[in-house]
Amino acid sequence: MYVAVDDTDSREGMCTSYLLAKMIAEMPYDLIGMPRLVRLNPAVPWKTRGNGALTMRVGVGGGEPRKIGEYDGEDIVFLPRLKREVDAAEVVDFFLPYVKENQQRGSNPGFVVSRTKPPQSFYWRGVRDILGVGEVATMLDEMGAVRHGLGDGRGIIGAACGMSWRPRDRSLELLAYREPGRWGTERTLSVSSVERMDALYPTTFNNIEMRWRKVAISPSTPCPVLLGVRGDDLDDLLAAREVLEGEEPSIWLTFLTNQGSDDHIIEDASELLPDRSYRLRMTVSSTAIENKGGYVIIRTMHRDEEMECAAYEPSKEFRDVIRALRPGDEIEAFGELRDSPRTLNLEKIKVLSVADVIVKTGNPRCPRCGRATKSVGKGAGYRCRDCSVHIAEDEAPMGKETRMLIPGWYEPPVCARRHLSKPLCRMGLCQPLDFV
Ligand code: ATP
């Protein structure tokens, strides 16, 4: 049976992945394959944090067990094959109380149990588009799935779309959870152990921002998560966990995820709708505009539409890439389109080409004495102090600006990346220039 759950948590506490970990640790079934943390459209206006849905397959399994976690000192394993299906009604009776008892105030949990997976198209729409609860309910009913939507019922959207994921690109996340008595208190984690882990296991990613030694694997919210290490190799992740020093988790569990896949990015879109994320080829049409709060805007032309692209304060040095752009530069921008103001919030860019920019290189020389002239005022030209010769503004010497940017891919620092954004290291790339 496939089991999916979403939207049990609120900003004040809990975490649906912790709930799934507890469900797995306490269930009387075998876990078939890895549990999944499936991120959906990051632009959904009603998400709590990272719009993640949780799914797993349970039953009577076969094959070699594989350790992927621990709960109170006991191993959590999965089995690779389903040998025998279990009864759907029993599965619902066992898991539904977990969902009901852990529902946080203001959340709208969704719980789905199904013998088969929903069509794959629901994953792609869930990760890129906005769905209505009615169409999801109809689809689940038609395929004979059991669904429970608590609160306003919206949680079944995430549960169903997460369940329908067939990985095209996938990564892993090892999540460790705190003892309930410690929730809301400060976490302890040695920064140098995170640095060591990062250096020892290059298949892990988004661990630490080296420029400021800022750890990215540990949240600051009052939720049960102690830390989450992302990577591409299960053995490396299990070994990487051993390197970390700090608070002991009460549970840890590894999930298969679509994080770092860029699955949310729509390419070659004919129509640009807000609350979706796009890859757009653009020509820069302004220099950077600085705004209060530290965010930087650049104007661009995409086809015939003028569009503003924004890089916000948390993206730190990435804003220097935007500041180094000039009119005429060709870029590919990845980002989420906001409605009002209609702005593309940048997640990364590929600079395709940089334009030759002609700028004034100095003041003109006096044609009589050869000495440098002084500006008379903005747009008013130049005058030689000794000979009083006046020279028009447009006679100033011009030349090519030395460009501070070269073509290539640029991305925000580790702490400012979206869950779904594919980091350059997963694309086999790195920035051609580092802005510090
Ligand atoms: P966390 O990451 O902390 O677990 P969250 O950010 O996942 O929380 P949820 O509490 O799960 O946020 O809320 C997301 C809500 O949006 C859920 O009710 C989910 O069903 C719904 N949802 C997810 N994707 C879509 C979509 N593409 N269209 C419409 N609704 C969606």
Side-chain angles (χ1 to χ4, degrees):
M1 285 295 152
Y2 293 98
V3 177
V5 54
D6 191 19
D7 202 347
T8 59
D9 53 359
S10 70
R11 279 187 191 277
E12 282 71 52
M14 266 306 283
C15 167
T16 310
S17 73
Y18 172 76
L19 181 63
L20 195 88
K22 266 184 73 92
M23 286 158 67
I24 290 172
E26 294 169 5
M27 70 186 183
Y29 310 110
D30 291 329
L31 179 63
I32 314 298
M34 292 184 77
R36 297 175 170 202
L37 165 57
V38 185
R39 300 284 177 183
L40 296 168
N41 185 351
V44 158
W46 41 84
K47 68 176 182 177
T48 312
R49 281 182 294 255
N51 200 7
L54 279 301
T55 81
M56 63 174 165
R57 192 177 196 192
V58 302
V60 177
E64 207 45 43
R66 186 84 162 88
K67 178 173 173 177
I68 50 167
E70 273 177 32
Y71 178 52
D72 274 347
E74 297 282 318
D75 286 356
I76 302 176
V77 300
F78 76 83
L79 296 171
R81 277 199 328 275
L82 177 78
K83 260 193 348 206
R84 189 159 44 80
E85 196 54 278
V86 283
D87 183 63
E90 269 179 34
V91 170
V92 174
D93 286 348
F94 182 81
F95 289 119
L96 189 56
Y98 281 83
V99 180
K100 287 187 171 162
E101 282 158 26
N102 289 283
Q103 172 180 10
Q104 298 296 293
R105 197 148 20 104
S107 71
N108 302 298
F111 174 67
V112 176
V113 171
S114 175
R115 179 180 280 271
T116 52
K117 280 189 185 187
Q120 183 166 194
S121 56
F122 277 83
Y123 166 67
W124 288 108
R125 290 182 59 209
V127 76
R128 293 183 172 174
D129 206 346
I130 305 280
L131 286 92
V133 71
E135 56 179 323
V136 172
T138 306
M139 176 274 293
L140 290 172
D141 293 347
E142 280 171 4
M143 60 182 279
V146 181
R147 63 177 166 89
H148 287 270
L150 313 182
D152 70 7
R154 203 191 263 150
I156 63 162
I157 302 175
C161 294
M163 193 186 270
S164 64
W165 179 44
R166 277 86 166 166
R168 185 181 67 175
D169 183 9
R170 98 291 173 279
S171 65
L172 303 166
E173 180 160 5
L174 186 154
L175 277 154
Y177 303 95
R178 317 181 72 195
E179 299 279 0
R182 296 194 187 211
W183 297 356
T185 63
E186 210 178 313
R187 295 163 173 87
T188 48
L189 177 63
S190 140
V191 178
S192 48
S193 75
V194 179
E195 281 175 323
R196 236 181 358 263
M197 181 197 76
D198 188 72
L200 280 170
Y201 296 102
T203 58
T204 63
F205 59 90
N206 288 359
N207 296 320
I208 184 164
E209 183 49 55
M210 287 300 188
R211 277 175 284 207
W212 343 298
R213 294 187 84 221
K214 178 143 176 26
V215 168
I217 62 172
S218 192
S220 51
T221 49
C223 73
V225 175
L226 175 62
L227 55 89
V229 185
R230 292 157 191 220
D232 278 312
D233 183 275
L234 181 55
D235 290 325
D236 280 2
L237 270 185
L238 301 192
R241 192 189 73 84
E242 308 275 340
V243 177
L244 295 173
E245 289 165 13
E247 189 180 318
E248 270 303 308
S250 66
I251 314 182
W252 63 269
L253 182 61
T254 317
F255 294 85
L256 191 74
T257 107
N258 59 345
Q259 289 170 165
S261 66
D262 268 350
D263 274 359
H264 63 310
I265 300 289
I266 304 171
E267 307 212 6
D268 309 319
S270 51
E271 188 189 11
L272 300 184
L273 300 171
D275 299 331
R276 279 92 176 151
S277 306
Y278 297 96
R279 173 180 188 160
L280 302 175
R281 190 181 165 128
M282 302 168 144
T283 307
V284 175
S285 59
S286 78
T287 49
I289 304 153
E290 302 285 338
N291 291 275
K292 269 207 198 107
Y295 75 97
V296 176
I297 295 268
I298 192 107
R299 293 210 179 93
T300 63
M301 288 303 292
H302 167 66
R303 298 195 187 125
D304 293 331
E305 185 186 353
E306 182 166 279
M307 187 172 288
E308 289 192 342
C309 299
Y312 286 87
E313 195 283 328
S315 69
K316 305 286 178 198
E317 293 84 358
F318 180 63
R319 294 171 301 167
D320 292 333
V321 179
I322 308 308
R323 290 180 178 119
L325 289 168
R326 295 288 178 268
D329 290 351
E330 297 284 336
I331 62 170
E332 266 178 11
F334 289 62
E336 172 188 325
L337 188 62
R338 287 275 172 87
D339 188 15
S340 172
R342 194 171 159 87
T343 305
L344 192 78
N345 290 344
L346 296 171
E347 286 172 27
K348 64 180 168 234
I349 67 168
K350 182 180 183 187
V351 176
L352 300 169
S353 63
V354 290
D356 283 343
V357 180
I358 304 301
V359 290
K360 191 188 111 178
T361 52
N363 289 359
R365 300 219 154 248
C366 171
R368 200 172 294 163
C369 69
R371 307 236 322 246
T373 57
K374 287 269 178 222
S375 172
V376 185
K378 200 164 186 263
Y382 305 86
R383 191 182 304 283
C384 174
R385 261 204 302 212
D386 297 324
C387 316
S388 297
V389 173
H390 181 264
I391 299 173
E393 184 74 24
D394 59 6
E395 284 180 41
M398 305 294 276
K400 271 195 206 168
E401 181 187 12
T402 308
R403 296 298 309 274
M404 299 307 287
L405 203 58
I406 57 175
W409 291 83
Y410 298 87
E411 68 183 347
V414 169
C415 299
R417 289 180 201 157
R418 290 219 117 140
H419 296 300
L420 275 161
S421 281
K422 194 167 198 158
L424 298 186
C425 65
R426 288 201 79 234
M427 298 163 77
L429 299 166
C430 56
Q431 295 194 160
L433 287 175
D434 234 341
F435 287 79
V436 191

